Amino acid sequence: MHSVIGWKAWLTAALVVCAAIVGLRLLAGAGIVQALQVGVSLTSLLVTGFVSTAAWRLLWLLPVFQRKAPPLDGQWSGVVSSNWSIVERLKEAAKQGGVAALDVDALASPLPDLLEVPVTARIRTTFASIHLELESADDRYQVSSLKVVELKPATDAGDAVLSYVFEGRVLSPVAGDVTTFDGAASLIVKKDVQGQLCLSGPTWTNRAWSRGLNTAGVLRLKQIRSDFWKPLTFGLAKP
């Protein structure tokens, strides 16, 4: 979440705090060396406490922070619309098993409906990182966790974007499936007409790529419970 205003702004804020402490010590009659030592020590202590505890979340009381990076912590529910139905139709047609051929280049011909898989997710944030765990809601056939993640804050030109690379793990793979695979997603963060926080965007994987079965689709999630303020209340706050 530190990316909301960039590292230069955070560094500037720390230097301002340090300068203020040094100035106060000088006004109190301390020598320049002692004032600098106290300023650096107290600033280091304050910065460490700020980034390592939930204190940074207090900044999200300001509308500008909520607008740039909406609070993502909490439980999410949604669906992955996958092109696996198209891949499977092409595979079956190639076997000449009585399945009608599918010409994906014939733009006027209808394609099979995308396969919709219900999913649930949990997102947790710290000052320096974002954690997301995604799993299929029906049978927990697979679960996913992040390897690399970036939150691009919202600007006047567009909404915030959550981009990440994830690792998928198949708990009990059926014959022909893989146990692990990598994928990526780029999700727009915005509120719907009811004011509910949503994530939506394209996702794709390298699952079974060596057999030409890798898939892509669209992930849509809605926040069903927000836990952003929970760390500040030691878990006592009700969602």
Side-chain angles (χ1 to χ4, degrees), residues 221-232:
L221 293 169
K222 284 190 176 183
Q223 190 180 56
I224 58 177
R225 191 185 77 199
S226 176
D227 294 334
F228 185 80
W229 301 109
K230 192 173 182 179
L232 278 171

Side-chain angles (χ1 to χ4, degrees), residues 172-186:
S172 299
V174 299
D177 203 352
V178 297
T179 55
T180 61
F181 60 92
D182 291 329
S186 181

Side-chain angles (χ1 to χ4, degrees), residues 17-27 32 35-40:
V17 170
C18 185
I21 294 174
V22 171
L24 290 174
R25 293 299 299 168
L26 290 174
L27 290 174
I32 183 64
L36 286 173
Q37 289 176 338
V38 172
V40 171

Side-chain angles (χ1 to χ4, degrees), residues 172-211:
S172 299
V174 299
D177 203 352
V178 297
T179 55
T180 61
F181 60 92
D182 291 329
S186 181
L187 309 178
I188 294 175
V189 186
K190 64 187 306 181
K191 291 185 177 181
D192 60 15
V193 293
Q194 287 81 32
Q196 191 172 14
L197 198 58
C198 300
L199 297 171
S200 62
T203 181
W204 55 97
T205 77
N206 66 356
R207 189 172 184 170
W209 67 270
S210 61
R211 299 169 56 206

Side-chain angles (χ1 to χ4, degrees), residues 102-144:
L102 178 64
D103 185 0
V104 294
D105 292 325
L107 302 182
S109 300
L111 295 174
D113 293 335
L114 295 177
L115 175 65
E116 294 196 343
V117 180
V119 294
T120 60
R122 183 189 178 195
I123 299 179
R124 295 177 292 110
T125 63
T126 67
F127 180 79
S129 61
I130 299 175
H131 305 273
L132 184 151
E133 297 177 352
L134 184 75
E135 64 182 35
S136 50
D138 48 2
D139 56 4
R140 295 191 77 250
Y141 180 68
Q142 71 179 58
V143 295
S144 302

